[in-house]
Amino acid sequence: MTVIVTGGAGFIGSNFIFYILKKHPDYRIICLDKLTYAGNLSTLKYVMDLPNFRFVKADICDREAVDKLFGEEKPDMVVNFAAESHVDRSIEDPEVFLRTNVIGTSVLMDACRKYGIIRYHQVSTDEVYGDLLLDRPEMFFTETTPIHTSSPYSASKASADLLVLAYHRTYGLPVTISRCSNNYGPYHFPEKLIPLMIANALNDKPLPVYGKGENVRDWLYVEDHCKAIDLIIHKGTVGEVYNIGGHNEMRNIDIVKLICRELNKPESLITYVTDRKGHDMRYAIDPTKIHNELGWLPETKFADGIKKTIDWYLNNRDWWEEIINGEYRNYYEKMYANR
Ligand code: NAD
Ligand code: TDX
């Protein structure tokens, strides 16, 4: 089996590559990644020299490069993680989100049509459903919840999902889509809530909580997401959408306080800053379908996962310090200086 994993130098894609190489050591894995600010080749250093792994630097929007790679490798499956993934960046500059997340998806699927594949899998997000109210805790996103997006990021991801389903209906492309809640774990880029708070706390810098910190996210350990995708691409039904979530809702402020406690840092570092525009209040996934059909359940409890994650950031300072001391400094200054 030959699998092209796009966006594999990013957070979830790299964790997926590690998982799949271990689970299916006879598979050939090709990582296709543009290496944007979010992609990091050093993340893949442990697999780079494996005989059944190949890294190709290319943009998923580059038709010629994608066609060439498909022609050379004739993949059986494509798992598309490549995306612009940060909501705050999409609010500043939506265009690249449309290009990569929508056009890039269509370029990949056109190559799948041309060369023939047994599965194209689109890694999507719970953000396509919009948000839920804090005072309706009995409500959850199911696969039939209407698409109702809030940010340019989520609108671009929803557009891609619609395109994927259209390619299935119109061209019979064998697709699946997964919509997952917030992931956390190793190699998470430090612009996102959990790694940002860990890195800032370790450097005794302010911990910028948007609004009142009451927004709720449903956190899932990244390896559980990878296991779910592995199940879907092998056993999922073509043309179907699967929600993935941990039944682990937490308020942002509680996560930040927990990180302070784990690192023995004072809560006085917490700084309330101007809220995100269009900030979604609550995400919560109902994972009944993937549980009933494919037997998936999250395995890592948040209390254990967050400890493992914090340990990883403590033991891999080089990985994230190189990032925060590079171009990221300008980003941080621009986004947080006058917030
Ligand atoms: P990330 O930002 O950490 O990584 C994205 C990767 O895609 C990077 O390696 C980057 O270089 C690459 N990339 C970006 N544009 C590209 C292009 N035009 N061509 C080729 N490669 C390109 O993102 P992530 O958090 O790992 O998310 C991966 C996927 O999972 C995304 O599709 C995202 O929407 C989805 N998702 C993420 C979460 C989460 O909590 N992080 C939750 C649900 C779904
Ligand atoms: O500095 C911060 N302060 C803060 O309060 C940052 C970066 C975030 N937040 C809040 C905003 C959100 O309510 O924390 C929450 C989580 O924020 P992010 O880490 O930016 O994630 P989110 O916006 O929820 O989106 C994530 O989950 C769904 C991923 O980035 C998406 O790619 C995925 O689709």
Side-chain angles (χ1 to χ4, degrees), residues 80 83 101-103 105-106 109 120-129 143 145-149 153-169 175-180 239-243:
N80 181 24
N101 299 2
V102 186
I103 304 295
T105 298
S106 76
M109 290 194 298
Y120 173 86
H121 182 74
Q122 179 73 1
V123 180
S124 186
T125 170
D126 59 358
E127 297 198 20
V128 302
Y129 300 121
E143 290 78 0
T145 299
I147 300 286
H148 186 78
T149 56
Y153 162 70
S154 55
S156 70
K157 292 296 289 183
S159 306
D161 284 12
L162 295 176
L163 207 55
V164 172
L165 295 173
Y167 270 57
H168 173 61
R169 168 95 185 233
V175 306
T176 37
I177 296 176
S178 52
R179 294 180 179 149
C180 191
E240 292 290 313
V241 174
Y242 293 90
N243 281 357

Side-chain angles (χ1 to χ4, degrees), residues 232-250:
I232 295 168
I233 61 178
H234 290 98
K235 298 191 178 140
T237 306
V238 160
E240 292 290 313
V241 174
Y242 293 90
N243 281 357
I244 307 169
H247 269 311
N248 179 52
E249 290 178 52
M250 298 197 51

Side-chain angles (χ1 to χ4, degrees), residues 18-39:
F18 304 147
Y19 180 76
I20 202 110
L21 280 168
K22 215 172 185 180
K23 175 97 189 286
H24 308 284
D26 52 328
Y27 281 20
R28 177 167 168 74
I29 305 297
I30 297 110
C31 172
L32 165 64
D33 198 297
K34 186 183 177 182
L35 297 181
T36 66
Y37 79 92

Side-chain angles (χ1 to χ4, degrees), residues 256-317:
V256 178
K257 286 184 177 170
L258 177 67
I259 290 171
C260 288
R261 277 200 303 281
E262 289 290 334
L263 292 175
N264 205 15
K265 296 288 180 181
E267 286 185 8
S268 57
L269 286 175
I270 294 173
T271 313
Y272 293 92
V273 300
T274 309
D275 209 352
R276 175 183 279 173
K277 289 185 184 117
H279 198 173
D280 280 336
M281 210 57 219
R282 168 178 170 246
Y283 302 144
I285 282 278
D286 175 355
T288 305
K289 178 173 172 178
I290 190 167
H291 175 61
N292 288 348
E293 288 187 19
L294 306 179
W296 178 86
L297 272 179
E299 287 166 32
T300 301
K301 290 195 176 63
F302 188 77
D304 301 330
I306 194 72
K307 281 199 171 70
K308 272 206 269 188
T309 304
I310 290 174
D311 281 349
W312 189 88
Y313 281 86
L314 284 168
N315 295 327
N316 292 274
R317 282 190 91 119

Side-chain angles (χ1 to χ4, degrees), residues 106-123:
S106 76
V107 169
L108 287 173
M109 290 194 298
D110 286 339
C112 290
R113 285 174 57 212
K114 178 170 168 187
Y115 289 95
I117 37 118
I118 57 173
R119 183 66 62 87
Y120 173 86
H121 182 74
Q122 179 73 1
V123 180

Side-chain angles (χ1 to χ4, degrees), residues 35-88:
L35 297 181
T36 66
Y37 79 92
N40 194 335
L41 214 45
S42 78
T43 300
L44 296 171
K45 65 184 175 197
Y46 298 116
V47 298
M48 207 49 111
D49 294 331
L50 294 178
N52 57 336
F53 178 78
R54 178 182 172 196
F55 177 81
V56 177
K57 182 175 186 301
D59 186 335
I60 57 166
C61 302
D62 181 344
R63 238 169 236 287
E64 234 172 80
V66 169
D67 192 271
K68 181 167 171 283
L69 181 64
F70 274 65
E72 284 167 12
E73 294 287 353
K74 307 273 176 357
D76 301 292
M77 293 191 190
V78 174
V79 184
N80 181 24
F81 291 91
E84 288 294 334
S85 68
H86 194 36
V87 173
D88 292 326

Side-chain angles (χ1 to χ4, degrees), residues 11-12 83-88 123-128 151 153-154 157 180-183 188-197 200 207-219 251-253 256 271 273-276 279-281 283 328 331-332 336 339:
F11 166 44
I12 309 176
E84 288 294 334
S85 68
H86 194 36
V87 173
D88 292 326
V123 180
S124 186
T125 170
D126 59 358
E127 297 198 20
V128 302
S151 69
Y153 162 70
S154 55
K157 292 296 289 183
C180 191
S181 59
N182 286 59
N183 285 214
H188 203 179
F189 195 81
E191 67 190 346
K192 307 282 169 44
L193 179 77
I194 288 181
L196 184 147
M197 296 300 169
N200 280 17
L207 306 177
V209 171
Y210 298 167
K212 294 184 184 152
E214 287 171 349
N215 305 64
V216 167
R217 298 291 182 264
D218 178 0
W219 294 94
R251 297 190 312 164
N252 295 338
I253 187 64
V256 178
T271 313
V273 300
T274 309
D275 209 352
R276 175 183 279 173
H279 198 173
D280 280 336
M281 210 57 219
Y283 302 144
Y328 179 78
Y331 164 81
Y332 196 84
Y336 291 91
R339 195 153 189 152

